[in-house]
């Protein structure tokens, strides 16, 4: 009977020790670092190739945006003040209509021929 009590006592102490080990926070070595969270690429790393062809003419997204930015700068405004740009292309008229900073105090609309 004394042997049974010693065996039970050892089992209880083993369980108590296991509980203490589980309760300890992981050390720096024991922590796993998760990989970097990958979201969408920043705008500077994305590429867009958009070309409109109609009636033997061709223009690209970059050409249209470039013309609008040059017009914006020629009016004495900084490129950083151009917060939003909406472009509507009408290929049958060879015209791109734009809205700059829509819904704000500095909203500006216009058109460019390409």
């Amino acid at each position: 009977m004394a042997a049974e009590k010693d065996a039970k006592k050892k089992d209880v102490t083993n369980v108590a020790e296991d509980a203490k080990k589980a309760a300890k926070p992981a050390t720096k070595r024991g922590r796993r670092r998760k990989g970097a969270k990958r979201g969408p690429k920043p705008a500077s790393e994305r590429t867009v190739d958009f070309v409109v062809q109609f009636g033997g003419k061709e223009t690209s997204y970059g050409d249209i945006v470039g013309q609008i930015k040059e017009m914006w700068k020629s009016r004495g405004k900084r490129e950083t003040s151009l917060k939003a740009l909406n472009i509507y292309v009408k290929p049958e008229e060879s015209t791109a209509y734009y809205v700059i900073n829509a819904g704000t105090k500095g909203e500006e609309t216009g058109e460019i021929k390409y």
Side-chain angles (χ1 to χ4, degrees), residues 18-63:
D18 290 341
K20 284 181 186 177
K21 286 179 184 176
K24 285 184 182 179
T27 61
K28 286 185 179 179
R29 284 187 173 189
R31 292 183 187 163
R32 284 190 170 174
R33 288 189 174 202
K34 293 182 180 180
K37 293 184 179 182
R38 297 183 183 180
K41 289 183 177 183
S44 63
E45 293 181 20
R46 284 184 235 139
T47 59
V48 176
D49 190 23
F50 182 84
V51 178
V52 176
Q53 295 178 336
F54 184 81
K57 293 183 179 181
E58 178 178 304
T59 190
S60 70
Y61 168 81
D63 293 341

Side-chain angles (χ1 to χ4, degrees), residues 67-68 71 75 88 93 95-98 109-113:
Q67 287 179 18
I68 294 169
M71 175 277 312
R75 292 184 180 174
Y88 306 92
E93 295 177 7
T95 306
Y97 298 91
Y98 61 86
T109 61
E111 64 182 55
I112 59 166
K113 297 283 186 184

Side-chain angles (χ1 to χ4, degrees), residues 53-111:
Q53 295 178 336
F54 184 81
K57 293 183 179 181
E58 178 178 304
T59 190
S60 70
Y61 168 81
D63 293 341
I64 294 171
V65 171
Q67 287 179 18
I68 294 169
K69 284 182 179 181
E70 286 303 315
M71 175 277 312
W72 187 253
K73 288 180 195 176
S74 70
R75 292 184 180 174
K77 299 180 180 182
R78 291 181 290 168
E79 192 174 325
T80 56
S81 66
L82 197 153
K83 301 293 182 192
L85 175 61
N86 299 337
I87 302 172
Y88 306 92
V89 178
K90 229 175 169 181
E92 63 272 9
E93 295 177 7
S94 297
T95 306
Y97 298 91
Y98 61 86
V99 180
I100 297 174
N101 299 334
T104 64
K105 183 180 175 185
E107 181 177 315
E108 200 169 313
T109 61
E111 64 182 55

